[in-house]
Amino acid sequence: MDHLLEAPLDAATPVVSAFYDRFPYPGDPLQDGPPPGYNWRWCVDSVVAAVNGALPPPPRPWRILDAGCGTGVSTDYLCHLNPGASVLAVDISAGALAVARERTGRSGAAAQVAELRIEQRSLLDLAGEGPFDYINSVGVLHHLDQPELGLRALVPLLRPGGLLHLFLYADGGRWEIHRTQRALALMGVGTGPAGLRLGRELFTTLPETNRLRRHHEQRWALDTGADANFADMYLHPQETSYDLERLFRFVDQPGVRFAGFSNPEVWDPARLLQGELLERAQALPPAQQWALVESLDPDISHFEFFLRRQEGDGAAEAAPEAWSDEALLAAGGERNRCLWGWPSTALLGPDLLPLTITAEDLVLMEALEAAPAGTPIGALPVAQGPAERVAAARRLLAERVLLLLRA
C-alpha cells in the first residue's frame, strides 16, 4: 500500500511530483526480461569491495533503498544485480511509479530478490525504515528545495558501515544547460507540453554556429531523445548544482564520510596531463588533484560518489589495506558478477569497457568458482606456484574481476 504524505516536507515536492507525473523519468524503454547490461554501482558486492577492499563472507542478504527511483531503471538493476536482497524503492511521483511497477514486473525483478517494495513516499518520510546496507539516490537530492535536509534524512537510515551512492549536478559542465534553462524561463514556455515543443524548437531556431545549439547537438541530443529526458534537462522547475568546494561542504555531515568517487577515472590527472605537468599534478594531495581536474575539464557535468556511515565512536576508519602476499594466498574470493562474456579471456569489465585477462588468470578464477565458498586462493587445485598465484590475484584485483573475502 502506498504511503502518501498529508503535507509535503519539502517546498518543491508538489511541483516536482507534478512535473514527473507529466514526464516520467528516466525515459528508458520498457522491455520483457532482465535489463540490458549492468552498472557495477548498483551491485552492492562490487561497491563494498571497491570501497572497503574486501567483502564479508556470504551470505550477504543486503538491505537496499532506492531513494528517488523514478521509472524504476535503477530499481530493476538493483534487483537483478543483488539476488536475495531486500529492496525498498520510493518516489514522490505516481506517474513515474506506475512505469516502475510495469518495468520491474515485465523484467521479473521481484523473483530475483527476497522482497521488493515500490512505494509512493518522500525520502524525507522514511523514519522507521532501515537500517540499510546500501542507499542509491542518483539525481535526486539536487531537485529538493533544501538538498541538505535530504542528506540528513538518508544518513540515519544507513547501518554503521553502510554506503550511500549520490549523484549531484556539477556547475562546470552545465554552463550551457543553465543558460538554456534561463532563456526558456524568461520566455515563459512553462514545464508542460508547450515548453517541451518550444524547447526543442529553440535548438533548431538558433543559428548553427550558436554555442548553446552546438553544445546540445554535440553532447546531449542523443541523451535527450526521449521527451522525459529533454524535459528533465531543460525544463525542470527545481534544481541545484555544485562545484567541488560546495560539494564537500554539503557532505560534511556528522556520522558520515566521503568514501570516494564512483567514477574515479574521471578524477585522475593522467586523463588530461603528461610529462612534467602530470608529475606536478600527482605530487598534490588528492583534494587538490580533484580541484585541478575540475579546473581543466569544463565538461564534468555531475559528481557521483560514495558516503560511508561511520562506525563506533565516529573516528575515521582505516583505508582498505594493501594485501600482503601471505594475506592474498590465505584469502578467499569471488568473481565480480559485473562482467560481460564470462567465462572468457576477452570480456567487458565493470565499466563496460573491453578487458582481456590471461589464460592463467582464467584458470585461477574458474578454480575459485568451482571450489567451496571461502577456499583460500593458496589452496586452489591449480598448477600454479605461490608467486604465480599472487601475481595472478593482483592482476585480477586490479581489473576488478576478483573480489576478495574478509575472514
Side-chain angles (χ1 to χ4, degrees):
M1 182 176 180
D2 288 345
H3 298 252
L4 300 175
L5 294 173
E6 294 181 1
L9 297 175
D10 184 86
T13 297
V15 174
V16 174
S17 177
F19 177 78
Y20 283 127
D21 284 345
R22 289 192 295 275
F23 297 110
Y25 179 86
D28 295 36
L30 298 171
Q31 66 174 48
D32 296 317
Y38 52 81
N39 182 329
W40 73 265
R41 299 157 191 87
W42 293 332
C43 176
V44 181
D45 286 353
S46 293
V47 171
V48 170
V51 173
N52 296 339
L55 291 168
R60 295 183 289 271
W62 302 121
R63 299 199 71 228
I64 300 170
L65 170 64
D66 198 6
C69 66
T71 59
V73 172
S74 52
T75 307
D76 205 18
Y77 281 99
L78 286 166
C79 290
H80 283 274
L81 291 175
N82 300 284
S86 296
V87 179
L88 170 61
V90 302
D91 201 272
I92 57 174
S93 167
L97 287 173
V99 179
R101 292 189 179 99
E102 182 178 359
R103 183 187 309 281
T104 54
R106 288 176 59 173
S107 78
Q112 302 299 313
V113 292
E115 180 184 40
L116 171 60
R117 295 156 56 199
I118 300 178
E119 300 180 353
Q120 188 178 2
R121 301 171 70 176
S122 166
L123 61 82
L124 299 171
D125 183 40
L126 296 176
E129 298 289 356
F132 294 100
D133 300 288
Y134 190 66
I135 298 177
N136 180 72
S137 193
V138 170
V140 179
L141 295 189
H142 53 223
H143 291 315
L144 295 177
D145 182 57
Q146 300 181 69
E148 64 277 4
L149 295 184
L151 180 57
R152 291 173 193 164
L154 291 177
V155 168
L157 298 174
L158 284 170
R159 67 162 178 80
L163 297 170
L164 168 60
H165 186 221
L166 292 178
F167 173 115
L168 298 173
Y169 289 146
D171 288 337
R174 293 181 68 82
W175 185 90
E176 292 87 351
I177 294 170
H178 289 159
R179 292 179 76 95
T180 303
Q181 291 170 338
R182 288 196 296 272
L184 292 171
L186 283 169
M187 290 186 285
V189 304
T191 61
L196 176 67
R197 175 177 56 81
L198 292 168
R200 290 200 182 278
E201 185 176 321
L202 176 66
F203 289 118
T204 60
T205 300
L206 289 170
E208 291 184 3
T209 56
N210 178 271
R211 175 171 170 175
L212 301 185
R213 175 173 175 172
R214 284 190 291 109
H215 182 262
H216 172 77
E217 291 175 345
Q218 293 169 8
R219 185 161 184 207
W220 299 117
L222 184 61
D223 288 349
T224 58
D227 287 348
N229 295 5
F230 185 96
D232 184 76
M233 179 166 289
Y234 293 112
L235 304 178
H236 204 290
Q238 173 64 45
E239 74 171 51
T240 301
S241 62
Y242 299 84
D243 60 19
L244 265 178
E245 183 179 352
R246 293 198 308 277
L247 177 75
F248 282 106
R249 286 204 305 268
F250 173 71
V251 302
D252 185 16
Q253 300 289 335
V256 70
R257 69 168 178 85
F258 181 78
F261 291 106
S262 60
N263 57 346
E265 66 284 349
V266 168
W267 299 97
D268 183 354
R271 182 174 64 87
L272 303 167
L273 301 172
Q274 56 184 332
E276 183 182 348
L277 289 170
L278 178 58
E279 291 175 6
R280 288 174 175 266
Q282 292 174 330
L284 297 171
Q288 291 184 32
Q289 292 190 36
W290 302 334
L292 176 63
V293 171
E294 181 184 43
S295 297
L296 293 175
D297 187 353
D299 285 335
I300 294 176
S301 61
H302 68 272
F303 302 105
E304 56 180 89
F305 56 96
F306 301 113
L307 299 179
R308 190 176 192 272
R309 179 78 185 269
Q310 291 178 316
E311 302 180 73
D313 60 4
E317 294 83 5
E321 70 270 21
W323 291 79
S324 67
D325 290 356
E326 294 75 14
L328 273 177
L329 291 173
E334 296 179 5
R335 176 177 61 84
N336 191 336
R337 67 171 60 92
C338 292
L339 300 171
W340 195 268
W342 187 265
S344 172
T345 57
L347 307 164
L348 288 182
D351 286 309
L352 287 173
L353 296 174
L355 167 63
T356 301
I357 64 173
T358 69
E360 294 78 11
D361 293 354
L362 177 61
V363 167
L364 184 70
M365 286 304 303
E366 290 187 310
L368 189 67
E369 288 195 286
T375 299
I377 292 173
L380 294 174
V382 293
Q384 296 175 348
E388 294 173 297
R389 293 179 193 231
V390 166
R394 294 199 186 282
R395 289 192 298 268
L396 292 162
L397 279 174
E399 299 289 3
R400 292 184 291 163
V401 173
L402 170 65
L403 308 180
L404 293 178
L405 295 177
R406 196 177 301 282

